Amino acid sequence: MTVTEREQREFIAAAAADARVNVELETEGMTLNIGPQHPATHGTLRIVARLDGEQVVAAEPVMGYMHRGYEKLAEVRTFPQVTTLINRIDWLGSFANEVPFILAAEQLMEVEVPPRASWIRTILFELSRLANISLFLGDMGVQLGAITPVFFAFRDREFVLNQIEAVTGGRFHPNFDRIGGLKDDLPKGWIEDTRGVMVKMRNFCDELEDLLLGNEIFEARTRGVGVIPADVALSYGLSGANLRASGVDWDMRRDNPCGLVHDELDWKVWTHPDGDSFARYWVRLQETREATYMIEQMLDGLPAGPVMAKVPVIIKVPAGEAYVATENPLGVMGYYVVSKGDLGPFRVKIRSASFNNISVTPWVMRGVYVPDVITILASLYFILGDIDR
Amino acid sequence: MSDTDVTDPDSGEAVPVERLDPRHTAAVATLSERLADAVLGHHSERGELWVRVHHEAWQQAGYALRDDLGCRWFDFLSAIDWLPSPFGRDMDAEQDWPATGPPARDTAIEHGVTGGETRLQIFARVQAVEDNPGGGNLSVILKADLPNENPAVETWIPVYAGANWHEREAWEMFGIAFIGHPDLRHIYLPGEFEGHPLRKDFPLLARRVKPWPGLVDVEDMPEVAGEAGS
Amino acid sequence: MWTLAIELAYWQQTAIKLVVVALVIPTGAIILGYVFLMKMMSFMQSRLGPMEAGPYGTLQLLADGVKFLQKEDVFPRRADRYVFALAPVVVLVSTFLLFVVLPVGPDAVVSGLDAGLFFALAVASLSVIGVLMAGWGSANKYALMGGMRAAGQLIAYELPLVLAAIGVVIQAGTLDLNKIVLAQATGEIFGWGAIGNPYILTQFVGFAIFLVAVQAELTQPPFDMPVAESEIVGGYQVEYTGFRFLFFFMAEFGTAFAFAGIASVLFLGGWYVPGLDPTSGWFNLIGPFVMFIKIMAVSALIFWFRFTFPRLREDQLQKLAWKVLIPLSLLNIVVTGVLKVLV
């Protein structure tokens, strides 16, 4: 299998680097702080890399520069107030953050959500995926030195943000999901506009496929760089496109549906056997395109009806424990909600995707070159708020 | 008890029959076989399976989950402090209370599903990813009570490599020691931080210093002409 | 010819030449910066670029320059002050020297050296010293890595640059840049001499290698590892602010201008336009304009690559130089030499 061969090669490189540092005592290694203020960490992540020339002997991420303590803060807020906090976890796909928490609360309250609310919720969920991943598709180019794709990404992401704004009133932090449904219905003309945006997003995907995926330099920089075999990916709890790029055919949306309507749609889970940076980019690109088809199907099949179930004004959630995870743009995001029948949650454990995704970096960064550190970080795709919570 | 309900053999509670997933029953049987009497309780609801084990069998339970049940995907590891907050919700703004005023403060420890014995409970969730495409994979939430004095448990790093950072977080936030963890140091908080913030008796100082803004902070209504002084 | 009728004293000529060279670098840098860096890049990325300063933002770079001059002159505390301060000057001097031998007309050249090409390629590599000084003097790990990368890269790409030019030298039989232009102007393609013989036709491989090497010499994407902003945040330039950074900026674009000029002399016939007598004195007047058009054409190519490609990795860059470009240019020399003797 190609993956194990590459893994072996990387291991040999790492061992060689180790040996060089240990044996040839006269070559003193250098410790390089990548971050916390560094363009590649888009946020305040810090990577302490021990270098031997250009080769990384060991790299250790250091985070916490943006830790906001949402798990503690959630304990002193009421259930509807918590959505305001968790909007800020993955700030590029904010609406998707709210969904699993609201679903968990609804499970505890045993509220039946009207079908129209579920469908619109799923549409917005996938729209925030587009808003999030489209930025990754451009940003990966910037990290590799190609400046043009990111401008395309910002240009076309704007259309998606406009659609989210038209429904929720917020471009970044919609805070639109409510226990029992949604705050409002769709505005008039929105469905037609969204169809147009989906065409634009597909064109954007085609454009990037031409611009980056077919580029020899891009392939040279990403193929075989940062290979994560499926076993390692599973034991580190990688999720989302990072896991599927390692060849694991698993998507929460298909395999563990929980209140969203993905199981009623016709779509495909994309996987790639290689597990390298190229595979992660490729899978995300395909997923973006797949999401546009999904949204189009949902726009066609949108049922009529109310968007809000009957819920009390003062929301008290019955005692119990619930865990709901959804396939968010960055990966699996879950909330373990413990309620004691109070106004607010007793304990909220936020399982964010980037925390697990980045925890694999010390393993994968042994023996790579400094530019590969940037490639691997970019291809694992983290949002700092999603690591630090 | 209606005819459709069966009795949970461990807790003795009535469980609706549709909540008992056959795979969950099988999983509990497998775990009981591997861990003998270290399985202290289990609960099955909404497709999730909770299993409470003795804390000394924590690592062994991890191996059993990974090797025998095929739950190779590590989701998360964390802990719950079941002590009711000594500060209650009294830091909320008054209008957040229901009309009855602040809720009565209860100091008794009440445990959640699968019960519990002590204050700190560690829990982790793992999942099988390829066993049942499209129909919901088997997932297990494993719980273990930790002793009140010096809570410690064996590390999961040999079982799930990804547990490393989660255990660092649990150590930092709850003060749980992980035996065999190679690198137990702060992950989020500065190195010299004292205390364990997610324990319930750790006050949320921001709330103590400045009450949650509510109606108190709202500007006064302009007085309507003619009603001045009323 | 009246253009040559004015007799000037040596010091007067020197003064004029100094002023011309001193003006050409900022002008070239501003023109390239505006036309390509700001406008062409913006249009490629579906945006407008600067629109406020002057009509269509034409004065943007002047405004930027003034802004740079206003900034405080900052030295990192542990920097080697003299090396740090001298480095941008060394880089800029190497750019200045490039313009010395660049002919824009039969007589319109600052100093028509017999070994003009040799001189140009030699002074171009002077900038390595400046870059190394900047990297070392900044007392910054990123700068050090950038300096080291730059040194490795510039030295590696010096070779294909020179070897690619040798093909032209063999064909023209001279190192004098003006005579290379004349050789192209009077050359014939299989007996047909209407457009002369611009060497891009016979030396296309050389032209391609030359452009790739120029790209690397200018540390532009896809070869911009020494300044890679997403990896080592500007490399050797990381600690520079204000007018010292402006020096680097002007040197980068001035060198791009000069290299585009050398490329058009070597491969595109320099200041010569087909159909005219190359010995005519009028070329001293129209030559600069012809050269300018050709320089812009070559620069457009250089900058087009810059905005399109991702960055190579350091080892891949060296591999490209040593395993592809150098063997290819050696082969080009052999083929050129054999054909020169046979034909």
Side-chain angles (χ1 to χ4, degrees):
Chain A
M1 212 166 96
T2 49
V3 171
T4 45
E5 260 170 41
R6 280 184 188 144
E7 192 195 350
Q8 204 176 3
R9 236 185 295 143
E10 273 190 10
F11 177 76
I12 291 169
D18 275 339
R20 268 203 294 287
V21 169
N22 291 338
V23 176
E24 299 173 25
L25 286 174
E26 67 273 13
T27 62
E28 198 181 320
M30 179 166 88
T31 306
L32 186 70
N33 262 313
I34 301 174
Q37 306 288 331
H38 189 278
T41 59
H42 40 89
T44 47
L45 183 72
R46 176 175 154 214
I47 310 269
V48 182
R50 217 167 147 66
L51 303 183
D52 176 24
E54 281 261 346
Q55 207 171 26
V56 176
V57 178
E60 172 74 24
V62 178
M63 61 274 207
Y65 295 94
M66 239 190 75
H67 186 235
R68 294 152 293 180
Y70 283 161
E71 292 181 14
K72 185 79 175 172
L73 289 175
E75 289 171 10
V76 294
R77 280 177 175 58
T78 63
F79 275 94
Q81 285 172 344
V82 173
T83 55
T84 319
L85 292 180
I86 59 182
N87 253 307
R88 271 93 180 149
I89 291 177
D90 159 18
W91 50 64
L92 290 180
S94 302
F95 184 82
N97 292 329
E98 305 170 21
V99 172
F101 179 78
I102 293 289
L103 288 175
E106 281 168 357
Q107 274 196 4
L108 284 172
M109 292 179 72
E110 297 183 352
V111 176
E112 188 74 19
V113 183
R116 187 175 173 85
S118 284
W119 281 74
I120 297 177
R121 208 179 252 178
T122 318
I123 293 174
L124 288 173
F125 187 84
E126 292 300 324
L127 274 179
S128 45
R129 178 185 314 277
L130 290 183
N132 190 331
I133 301 295
S134 61
L135 201 55
F136 159 81
L137 295 175
D139 178 68
M140 181 89 176
V142 172
Q143 305 293 356
L144 295 179
I147 18 186
T148 305
V150 79
F151 288 98
F152 292 162
F154 272 114
R155 180 192 67 197
D156 290 330
R157 177 168 164 267
E158 196 67 17
F159 300 119
V160 178
L161 287 183
N162 285 343
Q163 292 313 103
I164 295 176
E165 185 188 12
V167 184
T168 65
R171 291 161 66 79
F172 277 89
H173 302 304
N175 201 14
F176 192 66
D177 215 354
R178 298 285 186 272
I179 294 173
L182 293 165
K183 183 174 174 295
D184 264 321
D185 209 332
L186 299 176
K188 192 171 170 60
W190 189 84
I191 292 180
E192 274 317 301
D193 291 352
T194 312
R195 276 187 225 278
V197 172
M198 290 309 111
V199 175
K200 281 179 187 155
M201 285 311 287
R202 275 202 290 279
N203 290 341
F204 164 71
C205 291
D206 295 343
E207 218 166 28
L208 280 189
E209 215 159 39
D210 287 349
L211 199 58
L212 278 182
L213 279 188
N215 187 309
E216 287 83 0
I217 299 179
F218 182 82
E219 289 205 20
R221 284 297 305 280
T222 52
R223 277 207 191 267
V225 171
V227 179
I228 305 175
D231 276 350
V232 176
L234 285 171
S235 78
Y236 273 94
L238 260 61
S239 53
N242 295 331
L243 189 59
R244 286 188 285 279
S246 294
V248 180
D249 185 14
W250 180 58
D251 193 314
M252 277 267 182
R253 292 173 286 176
R254 181 195 63 193
D255 297 330
N256 295 64
C258 50
L260 296 177
V261 299
H262 291 113
D263 45 344
E264 296 175 41
L265 308 174
D266 174 30
W267 58 288
K268 178 177 173 1
V269 176
W270 293 88
T271 58
H272 198 288
D274 280 2
D276 54 8
S277 304
F278 182 85
R280 291 191 275 275
Y281 188 89
W282 187 87
V283 167
R284 286 211 176 84
L285 186 67
Q286 305 307 324
E287 280 185 4
T288 312
R289 196 176 282 140
E290 201 65 44
T292 63
Y293 289 121
M294 256 193 252
I295 291 173
E296 280 180 353
Q297 287 177 41
M298 286 187 276
L299 292 175
D300 290 335
L302 196 62
V307 291
M308 191 73 189
K310 287 253 180 293
V311 284
V313 179
I314 292 174
I315 290 177
K316 276 193 158 189
V317 174
E321 294 177 35
Y323 178 76
V324 173
T326 52
E327 188 77 29
N328 274 34
L330 294 167
V332 171
M333 177 172 218
Y335 293 87
Y336 191 91
V337 181
V338 181
S339 176
K340 285 205 163 178
D342 212 341
L343 286 172
F346 180 76
R347 163 109 173 90
V348 180
K349 160 67 191 167
I350 305 170
R351 188 267 187 225
S352 58
S354 298
F355 185 71
N356 279 32
N357 289 350
I358 286 302
S359 72
V360 79
T361 48
W363 187 89
V364 77
M365 277 181 188
R366 283 171 305 158
V368 302
Y369 293 103
V370 173
D372 293 340
V373 171
I374 311 300
T375 314
I376 292 169
L377 274 185
S379 73
L380 282 172
Y381 192 38
F382 61 94
I383 300 285
L384 210 92
D386 207 40
I387 301 176
D388 275 2
R389 305 196 291 274
Chain B
M1 193 195 290
S2 69
D3 293 343
T4 57
D5 287 2
V6 292
T7 308
D8 188 325
D10 286 283
S11 56
E13 290 168 359
V15 179
V17 79
E18 67 271 15
R19 285 186 177 174
L20 269 185
D21 189 325
R23 287 187 304 157
H24 287 179
T25 325
V28 173
T30 312
L31 279 177
S32 303
E33 196 183 312
R34 269 293 291 265
L35 306 172
D37 52 356
V39 177
L40 300 175
H42 63 87
H43 178 80
S44 177
E45 194 179 356
R46 295 182 288 259
E48 284 295 342
L49 173 66
W50 279 265
V51 177
R52 186 161 69 93
V53 297
H54 193 268
H55 70 269
E56 282 171 4
W58 178 249
Q59 198 183 51
Q60 207 190 342
Y63 279 117
L65 287 174
R66 188 189 71 180
D67 300 335
D68 298 347
L69 295 181
C71 294
R72 288 155 64 213
W73 187 66
F74 173 76
D75 196 350
F76 66 84
L77 182 148
S78 190
I80 307 178
D81 183 1
W82 287 108
L83 182 81
S85 171
F87 312 103
R89 301 189 56 83
D90 60 355
M91 290 172 280
D92 295 346
E94 283 167 15
Q95 77 277 357
D96 288 342
W97 295 333
T100 53
R105 207 176 294 171
D106 189 5
T107 52
I109 291 182
E110 257 180 66
H111 289 98
V113 294
T114 71
E117 285 150 18
T118 54
R119 182 182 150 188
L120 278 177
Q121 202 169 43
I122 184 174
F123 71 114
R125 184 177 184 274
V126 291
Q127 185 158 9
V129 292
E130 281 165 326
D131 59 336
N132 187 19
N137 308 108
L138 175 70
S139 62
V140 180
I141 296 174
L142 198 69
K143 283 186 167 187
D145 296 319
L146 298 179
N148 285 332
E149 293 294 316
N150 299 325
V153 72
E154 268 184 295
T155 177
W156 256 20
I157 295 180
V159 196
Y160 297 101
N164 187 331
W165 286 15
H166 290 260
E167 288 179 355
R168 275 170 71 187
E169 194 192 357
W171 170 79
E172 170 179 69
M173 295 293 173
F174 291 95
I176 299 166
F178 288 90
I179 300 157
H181 193 292
D183 194 22
L184 217 49
R185 59 193 162 87
H186 283 288
I187 188 164
Y188 284 140
L189 303 173
E192 62 274 15
F193 193 90
E194 285 175 16
H196 303 294
L198 277 181
R199 287 195 177 190
K200 289 283 179 183
D201 49 8
F202 188 95
L204 185 56
L205 279 175
R207 277 293 180 88
R208 306 296 286 177
V209 174
K210 190 169 184 291
W212 186 239
L215 284 181
V216 253
D217 283 3
V218 175
E219 279 289 324
D220 294 330
M221 286 286 174
E223 287 179 7
V224 182
E227 287 182 20
S230 64
Chain C
M1 283 173 287
W2 61 269
T3 43
L4 298 176
I6 314 158
E7 285 297 325
L8 293 170
Y10 182 74
W11 68 268
Q12 286 168 319
Q13 289 185 14
T14 312
I16 290 174
K17 286 170 177 174
L18 271 179
V19 170
V20 166
V21 173
L23 280 179
V24 149
I25 291 182
T27 319
I30 284 177
I31 290 172
L32 288 192
Y34 173 72
V35 174
F36 297 118
L37 183 70
M38 297 193 156
K39 283 301 176 185
M40 188 172 101
M41 176 158 106
S42 301
F43 293 159
M44 284 170 73
Q45 295 167 348
S46 65
R47 58 196 175 93
L48 288 174
M51 290 298 284
E52 297 298 325
Y56 296 95
T58 35
L59 302 179
Q60 183 64 43
L61 275 169
L62 286 180
D64 280 348
V66 172
K67 180 196 75 181
F68 277 130
L69 291 177
Q70 288 171 338
K71 286 198 173 173
E72 190 191 346
D73 185 17
V74 182
F75 286 96
R77 190 187 299 150
R78 305 188 62 185
D80 188 334
R81 290 180 71 94
Y82 298 105
V83 174
F84 183 81
L86 203 58
V89 182
V90 172
V91 175
L92 198 60
V93 162
S94 126
T95 311
F96 265 101
L97 292 177
L98 269 178
F99 283 98
V100 167
V101 289
L102 192 64
V104 291
D107 305 301
V109 54
V110 175
S111 180
L113 298 176
D114 284 342
L117 180 61
F118 177 74
F119 176 84
L121 297 178
V123 295
S125 48
L126 265 185
S127 65
V128 182
I129 299 169
V131 167
L132 263 180
M133 285 163 70
W136 187 256
S138 300
N140 180 309
K141 285 173 182 172
Y142 288 116
L144 180 63
M145 286 182 72
M148 291 301 166
R149 283 180 178 194
Q153 171 174 338
L154 296 186
I155 290 167
Y157 277 82
E158 227 24 76
L159 272 173
L161 192 72
V162 173
L163 293 177
I166 285 180
V168 171
V169 173
I170 292 174
Q171 211 174 347
T174 173
L175 278 167
D176 188 332
L177 287 170
N178 240 340
K179 287 188 184 141
I180 291 176
V181 174
L182 280 176
Q184 294 179 67
T186 54
E188 292 176 337
I189 307 164
F190 300 119
W192 179 65
I195 60 163
N197 182 13
Y199 288 151
I200 185 171
L201 299 175
T202 49
Q203 292 287 329
F204 186 76
V205 178
F207 180 66
I209 295 171
F210 192 84
L211 271 197
V212 172
V214 161
Q215 201 81 3
E217 288 282 307
L218 296 172
T219 65
Q220 288 197 1
F223 308 112
D224 66 332
M225 303 75 150
V227 290
E229 76 289 333
S230 60
E231 294 161 20
I232 51 172
V233 283
Y236 59 87
Q237 303 174 351
V238 69
E239 295 286 2
Y240 284 93
T241 60
F243 71 96
R244 292 186 204 282
F245 180 77
L246 188 65
F247 276 13
F248 275 123
F249 182 85
M250 284 205 315
E252 183 186 344
F253 282 85
T255 316
F257 200 74
F259 269 124
I262 292 172
S264 36
V265 166
L266 290 183
F267 298 99
L268 299 179
W271 41 261
Y272 175 69
V273 217
L276 296 176
D277 175 18
T279 52
S280 154
W282 289 104
F283 269 118
N284 287 329
L285 269 188
I286 60 166
F289 297 100
V290 176
M291 272 296 276
F292 180 73
I293 292 167
K294 288 181 177 173
I295 285 175
M296 291 305 266
V298 176
S299 309
L301 214 55
I302 292 176
F303 282 89
W304 185 11
F305 295 146
R306 173 180 178 142
F307 306 138
T308 313
F309 284 118
R311 180 185 307 126
L312 280 167
R313 208 169 54 204
E314 194 62 20
D315 57 324
Q316 293 163 343
L317 166 104
Q318 298 288 351
K319 217 177 279 175
L320 180 67
W322 294 102
K323 289 192 176 167
V324 180
L325 293 183
I326 292 178
L328 205 61
S329 47
L330 285 174
L331 194 69
N332 185 43
I333 291 173
V334 172
V335 172
T336 312
V338 169
L339 287 180
K340 172 92 176 175
V341 177
L342 290 182
V343 179

